[in-house]
Each structure stands twice: as structure tokens, then as C-alpha cells.
Amino acid sequence: QVQLVESGGGVVQPGGSLTLSCAASGSIFDIDSLGWYRQAPGKQRELVAAIHRDGDTTTYGDSVKGRFTVSTDSAKNTVTLQMNSLKFEDTAVYYCNAAKAPSFVNGAFRSGIDYWGKGTLVTVSS
């Protein structure tokens, strides 16, 4: 089991900043990446940002590039999302994600696995 606990959601004004944090615990030894997705009403869940635990490679959704920064702590147990220059369209429920890539383990195929936090609401409002 992997447990993901999010914090930092809230209300912020347009142009402001907010930092989200997600603490991962449990069986995280084979977690390949940590990151954030978001879902606004009427929209599909979309990638915000993710970081590989091995190598620190990052990826960002097009709509947040240049504004958001994802990082992990030294132990790679916590993923942080620094959000700057927030816009109304950033309003969404943000979900922490921990992912295992598909792989073969001892000759057997292991499907990719996603673990999710419960979500934290970010509201950008004037």
C-alpha cells in the first residue's frame, strides 16, 4: 500500500502563489514517479507536473509550464508543487499521484499502477 497525504490547498487571488505538498508513505520503494494531476468541473483529469524519483526528470502540462515547479525532498518521499502566477483556470481539485511503470518482475508482467491522494481544492478567485 502507498499512502498519499496532500496539504496546502486553499483560496488564492489571481496572480498569487500557492504551494501544495504531498507526503508519500508505505511501500514506495518501487515508485517511479511522483506528481500532480488536477480536475476541474466538466473536464477530464489532466497532468499538472511529475518528477521521476530516479534522475529527477520533470514533465509539465502545457498550461502550467513556466508558472509551476515540481520538486521532491532529498528522501524522495515528498513532492511539492510551487504554483505561481495563478489564473482562474487553475481552479481545480489537485490530486497527488504516485506511479509505478509497467515492468517485468521475475519473468512476470506487472501492470502499471497509480496511487492517488484524496485531492485538495485550489480556488483562484478575486
Side-chain angles (χ1 to χ4, degrees):
Q1 280 273 21
V2 173
Q3 299 291 329
L4 302 173
V5 180
E6 301 140 322
S7 63
V11 180
V12 64
Q13 294 183 354
S17 298
L18 199 65
T19 301
L20 304 182
S21 183
C22 174
S25 61
S27 301
I28 63 172
F29 67 93
D30 58 349
I31 292 294
D32 295 304
S33 65
L34 296 168
W36 295 89
Y37 287 70
R38 69 185 182 187
Q39 187 167 23
K43 293 186 176 181
Q44 297 185 92
R45 187 172 299 188
E46 64 177 356
L47 171 71
V48 177
I51 183 168
H52 289 278
R53 295 179 70 239
D54 183 13
D56 296 328
T57 301
T58 59
T59 186
Y60 295 90
D62 289 338
S63 63
V64 307
K65 289 180 179 177
R67 299 188 297 122
F68 292 8
T69 302
V70 65
S71 62
T72 59
D73 64 344
S74 59
K76 307 298 179 73
N77 295 330
T78 300
V79 58
T80 298
L81 183 68
Q82 177 64 51
M83 303 184 292
N84 298 321
S85 302
L86 284 161
K87 306 173 181 179
F88 289 115
E89 52 263 42
D90 294 318
T91 296
V93 177
Y94 285 69
Y95 297 91
C96 183
N97 169 260
K100 298 180 181 179
S103 65
F104 285 91
V105 180
N106 295 323
F109 180 74
R110 187 197 73 183
S111 299
I113 301 173
D114 286 291
Y115 299 92
W116 299 96
K118 294 182 179 180
T120 184
L121 178 64
V122 173
T123 302
V124 183
S125 176
S126 60

